[in-house]
Amino acid sequence: MVEPEGEPHALVVRRDAAQRTLDLWSKRPMRLGESDCVRMVAAHLRLLGYKVKLPPKGSYRSVNSALKALREAGHATIGDALDAMGLARITPAATIVGDVILMPAEHDLGALVVAMGNGRVAGWHDDYADGVVVMQPLQMVAAWRANPR
């Protein structure tokens, strides 16, 4: 497929959105309801042209209240919410830069990250709570293709 003149290739848009997401979130400490993986991924998807609706900032502050907000929005899991947005599920091994990945967590929410390419992801890590970092995931639960719109 040939891109229209003046339009950047989809992979360039994905790369730029992933890098911008990392740049914007790397200095934000993890705080449920204010700066968390759902809000980071929502911001990333907005950079790709998606419309994302989230509960108001600060409306949840714990895993239990986040799960309650998710259920009130009509979703049993974060994965269900991404499915409802129309993002296509893909095998985690097929992710490319800009895709969204769900990783396991010590709680029922899971942890969303953004694929950065070369097997790396951007997200919060328990050992580096001061902001989003690039890391090598050991296990991935699910993934979604996030094509620019």
Side-chain angles (χ1 to χ4, degrees):
M1 177 177 151
V2 176
E3 298 294 319
E5 192 164 323
E7 293 290 320
H9 189 278
L11 285 174
V12 173
V13 174
R14 290 161 136 308
R15 178 206 62 200
D16 291 351
Q19 184 63 53
R20 180 127 171 87
T21 299
L22 176 61
D23 293 344
L24 290 171
W25 293 82
S26 64
K27 303 289 188 242
R28 297 183 186 188
M30 166 63 166
R31 287 192 185 97
L32 270 176
E34 292 181 28
S35 58
D36 56 42
C37 65
V38 169
R39 292 190 178 281
M40 177 195 68
V41 166
H44 172 69
L45 291 172
R46 287 181 186 119
L47 290 171
L48 293 171
Y50 291 83
K51 292 186 190 309
V52 182
K53 185 177 184 211
L54 294 177
K57 200 177 223 185
S59 63
Y60 59 91
R61 297 215 183 265
S62 68
V63 171
N64 286 339
S65 60
L67 287 167
K68 182 181 176 191
L70 195 58
R71 286 190 301 272
E72 287 173 355
H75 309 293
T77 66
I78 289 176
D80 292 341
L82 291 168
D83 291 338
M85 286 184 59
L87 295 173
R89 278 197 190 228
I90 58 173
T91 180
T95 59
I96 59 176
V97 65
D99 285 338
V100 176
I101 300 170
L102 178 65
M103 294 178 28
E106 294 178 358
H107 47 71
D108 292 338
L109 281 173
L112 291 176
V113 295
V114 174
M116 297 302 288
N118 198 26
R120 304 299 194 276
V121 299
W124 276 277
H125 188 280
D126 290 340
D127 293 339
Y128 305 99
D130 291 338
V132 168
V133 296
V134 175
M135 57 191 149
Q136 177 75 45
L138 298 177
Q139 185 179 7
M140 296 175 270
V141 176
W144 291 263
R145 180 67 36 149
N147 287 320
R149 291 193 163 182

